[in-house]
Amino acid sequence: MGYSVLKNIIYEDEHIIVVFKPAGIATQTARCGQQDMVSELKNYLFQKPGAGKGEPYLGVVHRLDQPVSGLLVFARTRQAASELGRQLQNDKLKKNYYAVVCGRPVKESGRLENYLYKDSKTNHSIVADKNTPGAKKAVLDYQRVNTLMVLEESMEKEAEISLIDVSLLTGRHHQIRVQLSHAGMPILGDGKYGSPISRELGRITGCKSVALCAYRLGFWHPLTKKALSFEKKPEEEIFLPFFTTKN
């Protein structure tokens, strides 16, 4: 896989395991021969001292799109999976993302509310009318963190790219990517929902994947009920200048 799953484990006990998923790796896949986080973690658990002979249990609580990096929590018991699933359904599992978007937001912060419709045949979501059958309400808050200039001779004029902090209040298919693009803030490296300009800026800046990272994850421990919060800055190069340059 080109990375060590052990190196990416943030926290582990007998009930849960929190891990940082690199961009380009699927959370879980049925494709033969394609590695994913679930398979790698099961192999890791199987090889641990004291592990049983059978396949270890690993419950998928939530997912990240394959081109997106970030923190994930998995359940190591069915009881933990049930409790974490309940928290997810009741919006008690909190997620924050960093996104690098094209341009500068018109407002420094705001809330986006839309109705999204998912086309399962094309694995594509769109902003739809609230009365569209199958459309689900999607809500997120955002805050601009920093804005940088992109200087490139091939471009007709200077361009800006911004790092924004997104707090996800609902969990819809491709939600952040769709809503930000619809609001005029397409994410760099997003070939599915990006604009011609965001794709060009992604090429110029060397953005190799969707510039979106789930950097913070908070929830209640399924057994002890203790509040847990984990945070890890993005590793992709596209994010780094925003944390070293003040604006």
Side-chain angles (χ1 to χ4, degrees):
M1 290 185 73
Y3 79 99
S4 168
V5 69
L6 181 60
K7 181 187 71 173
N8 286 278
I9 292 174
I10 307 298
Y11 173 85
E12 178 185 7
D13 63 26
E14 62 267 34
H15 307 288
I16 61 173
I17 184 166
V18 177
V19 65
F20 184 84
K21 184 188 86 65
I25 306 297
T27 302
Q28 184 179 33
T29 181
R31 294 180 181 178
C32 183
Q34 182 178 347
Q35 293 173 304
D36 57 45
M37 294 303 296
V38 169
S39 299
E40 291 300 305
L41 287 170
K42 282 187 175 182
N43 288 336
Y44 159 73
L45 293 172
F46 181 75
Q47 294 171 15
K48 289 190 67 175
K53 295 183 179 180
E55 180 178 330
Y57 177 84
L58 192 71
V60 178
V61 179
H62 60 126
R63 303 170 188 265
L64 290 172
D65 299 340
Q66 185 166 336
V68 174
S69 65
L71 294 167
L72 289 166
V73 58
F74 293 92
R76 293 188 57 185
T77 67
R78 297 186 186 280
Q79 181 183 357
S82 177
E83 169 58 21
L84 289 172
R86 185 189 65 80
Q87 291 185 39
L88 183 67
Q89 290 296 319
N90 294 333
D91 298 324
K92 299 297 184 181
L93 195 149
K94 302 298 184 181
K95 293 169 278 185
N96 280 80
Y97 293 72
Y98 281 131
V100 180
V101 302
C102 181
R104 178 190 291 258
V106 175
K107 296 181 179 180
E108 288 290 293
S109 62
R111 171 167 291 188
L112 301 180
E113 295 188 11
N114 303 104
Y115 282 82
L116 304 186
Y117 171 78
K118 176 186 176 182
D119 186 336
S120 299
K121 293 182 179 179
T122 61
N123 194 37
H124 193 277
S125 289
I126 61 171
V127 173
D129 183 87
K130 64 182 296 184
N131 296 318
T132 301
K136 296 180 179 179
K137 189 175 183 178
V139 185
L140 63 79
D141 290 334
Y142 73 88
Q143 170 76 49
R144 186 183 75 88
V145 178
N146 201 351
T147 298
L148 301 176
M149 298 297 300
V150 176
L151 305 177
E152 172 66 27
E153 292 182 359
S154 65
M155 297 187 68
E156 295 182 358
K157 59 181 180 179
E158 296 177 347
E160 292 181 315
I161 57 175
S162 298
L163 178 72
I164 63 174
D165 187 329
V166 176
S167 178
L168 198 59
L169 303 181
T170 57
R172 306 306 181 200
H173 179 257
H174 293 172
Q175 178 180 336
I176 298 175
R177 297 162 66 185
V178 177
Q179 285 193 279
L180 291 184
S181 181
H182 183 73
M185 298 182 285
I187 300 175
L188 268 63
D190 193 344
K192 180 170 286 191
Y193 300 105
S195 67
I197 295 177
S198 70
R199 294 187 186 98
E200 177 66 6
L201 286 171
R203 183 192 66 78
I204 291 172
T205 56
C207 184
K208 298 179 175 61
S209 190
V210 178
L212 182 62
C213 174
Y215 77 92
R216 183 186 294 149
L217 179 65
F219 56 92
W220 302 92
H221 191 282
L223 271 294
T224 68
K225 308 305 180 183
K226 179 183 177 181
L228 299 177
S229 181
F230 303 93
E231 187 169 330
K232 182 176 175 62
K233 282 188 176 181
E235 297 178 338
E236 295 92 334
E237 291 184 7
I238 186 65
F239 291 97
L240 303 184
F242 291 99
F243 298 110
T244 57
T245 305
K246 292 184 178 181
N247 189 338

